[in-house]
Amino acid sequence: MSDSNCGSGGGATTYAQLRIASIFIVLIGSISGALCPVLAKRTNWLRVPKAVFDFAKYFGSGVIIATAFIHLLSPALGELSSPCLSPAWQQYPYPLALAMLSIFSIFIVELVAFRWGTAKLAALGVRHDAHGHGLGAHTAHGPEGRMPNDDLNSEKIKEDLESAHDHELPELGALGQIIGVFILEFGVLLHSILIGLTLAVDANFITLFVVIVFHQTFEGLGVGTRLAYLQLPPKYNYVAICGALLYGITTPIGIAAGLGVQNTYNPGSTTASIVSGVLDSLSAGILLYTGLVELLAHEFIFNKEMITGSNGHVAYAVSCMLLGCGIMAFLGRWA
């Protein structure tokens, strides 16, 4: 490989007008996928049947898991084994180690948050659902309220507890859910920036452009359904909408940045390979943890609907998830 391929070089400049238009086309696809579920759940003018929401939720879970393996971990393995890099990079599976580091980092953060939230709930006289997650498991299961019934308790204590339930419990639930979704979005956003940069300078622009439009729309659907199912106090309703919009603009920002440095940015250069390989590895770990623990485990293993529901309902949910995973994995053939 020549030095120009490993140096700063420059990206492809063909299809200049279409590359500029791709900023707005990808923006529309990304925002539509992420924002539509949120608006459908939180507004009266956009009505979507529950069956459609269920499909999108399970489909999105499959999309997120496939993204972690096929669109993040696999490219990271290639990027950090690039011949442009020092031979030292070939002597250890750094992408897998970084993904593992990311998984355990997220686990420790959630464990600390879980213990802190459980202690706060216990102080308020609330028994926590052990199969939940985040600060009190308000995302999927919610707390199980338990008012003290000791005859010695005064009416004042009961009123204080009721006030705590009305104010502090929603606050704890909102914080727990926001942390969980932030972890998911953080991994997705890193990935989105990188694919935007790549699209702006890649020589195989047409193929990659078509694939990324579908990729971002499906991935947005996965993120959007999670945002839509947040159970937040009214004053935090803006969080879901802001999360969807943030996802929507990230890849277009990456494309715009890539076009701005089109004459100097080479995605195959030594520096770009290291940066993108490390970020892809860390993002893969985040999405693996979120997809397997937060989504699969809580949607299927610890979900009462799945435990007591009909075989047909479970088979439908699993089929939706596998469909999302299969389509996203298939798109990995090109991007």
Side-chain angles (χ1 to χ4, degrees):
M1 180 172 292
S2 65
D3 292 338
S4 61
N5 289 330
C6 295
S8 59
T13 57
T14 54
Y15 306 105
Q17 292 181 337
L18 188 55
R19 288 178 195 269
I20 295 173
S22 69
I23 296 174
F24 305 99
I25 296 171
V26 172
L27 177 68
I28 292 171
S30 299
I31 287 185
S32 297
L35 195 57
C36 282
V38 175
L39 295 179
K41 195 75 172 178
R42 296 176 183 275
T43 62
N44 295 324
W45 54 270
L46 186 59
R47 293 287 185 179
V48 175
K50 183 180 182 299
V52 175
F53 256 111
D54 287 343
F55 170 81
K57 179 171 66 172
Y58 300 127
F59 182 91
S61 296
V63 165
I64 288 169
I65 293 170
T67 297
F69 280 108
I70 306 299
H71 297 269
L72 288 173
L73 192 55
S74 177
L77 289 166
E79 289 155 351
L80 293 184
S81 61
S82 168
C84 291
L85 271 59
S86 164
W89 287 95
Q90 319 291 332
Q91 296 174 4
Y92 188 79
Y94 287 101
L96 301 179
L98 289 169
M100 182 174 65
L101 172 66
S102 179
I103 289 171
F104 278 102
S105 297
I106 298 301
F107 164 71
I108 291 171
V109 168
E110 285 217 326
L111 178 62
V112 172
F114 178 88
R115 287 176 58 82
W116 177 80
T118 302
K120 291 285 289 183
L121 291 172
L124 296 173
V126 178
R127 183 166 60 89
H128 179 264
D129 179 359
H131 293 308
H133 62 281
L135 298 175
H138 297 281
T139 301
H141 303 282
E144 298 176 10
R146 179 177 57 83
M147 294 293 294
N149 55 9
D150 193 328
D151 292 338
L152 298 177
N153 286 337
S154 67
E155 191 64 29
K156 178 67 171 63
I157 294 178
K158 290 184 179 181
E159 290 175 0
D160 288 344
L161 267 176
E162 288 172 359
S163 176
H165 279 263
D166 290 340
H167 297 93
E168 292 197 47
L169 288 181
E171 295 287 333
L172 285 171
L175 183 58
Q177 293 176 79
I178 291 171
I179 288 174
V181 171
F182 172 78
I183 290 170
L184 170 63
E185 279 226 29
F186 182 72
V188 170
L189 295 183
L190 288 178
H191 170 54
S192 297
I193 285 283
L194 292 175
I195 63 175
L197 283 168
T198 302
L199 178 62
V201 299
D202 196 271
N204 299 316
F205 173 75
I206 295 296
T207 301
L208 188 62
F209 172 51
V210 173
V211 172
I212 283 179
V213 169
F214 285 102
H215 175 284
Q216 289 302 106
T217 303
F218 289 143
E219 193 172 69
L221 190 64
V223 172
T225 51
R226 296 297 149 184
L227 292 168
Y229 275 93
L230 289 176
Q231 299 174 5
L232 303 175
K235 70 176 183 177
Y236 290 121
N237 276 340
Y238 70 91
V239 171
I241 295 175
C242 289
L245 292 175
L246 181 61
Y247 169 83
I249 65 174
T250 304
T251 299
I253 288 175
I255 298 172
L259 291 175
V261 296
Q262 194 174 38
N263 294 325
T264 57
Y265 177 69
N266 174 17
S269 68
T270 302
T271 302
S273 294
I274 293 174
V275 172
S276 58
V278 169
L279 292 181
D280 278 347
S281 300
L282 295 174
S283 297
I286 292 171
L287 293 197
L288 282 174
Y289 182 88
T290 301
L292 298 177
V293 177
E294 302 289 343
L295 304 184
L296 280 194
H298 287 131
E299 291 295 346
F300 291 91
I301 306 301
F302 301 132
N303 190 334
K304 292 179 182 178
E305 275 188 40
M306 294 297 169
I307 296 173
T308 62
S310 66
N311 291 335
H313 176 70
V314 175
Y316 171 74
V318 172
S319 298
C320 292
M321 179 194 64
L322 293 178
L323 177 63
C325 186
I327 291 177
M328 205 63 173
F330 178 69
L331 292 177
R333 168 65 179 79
W334 298 278

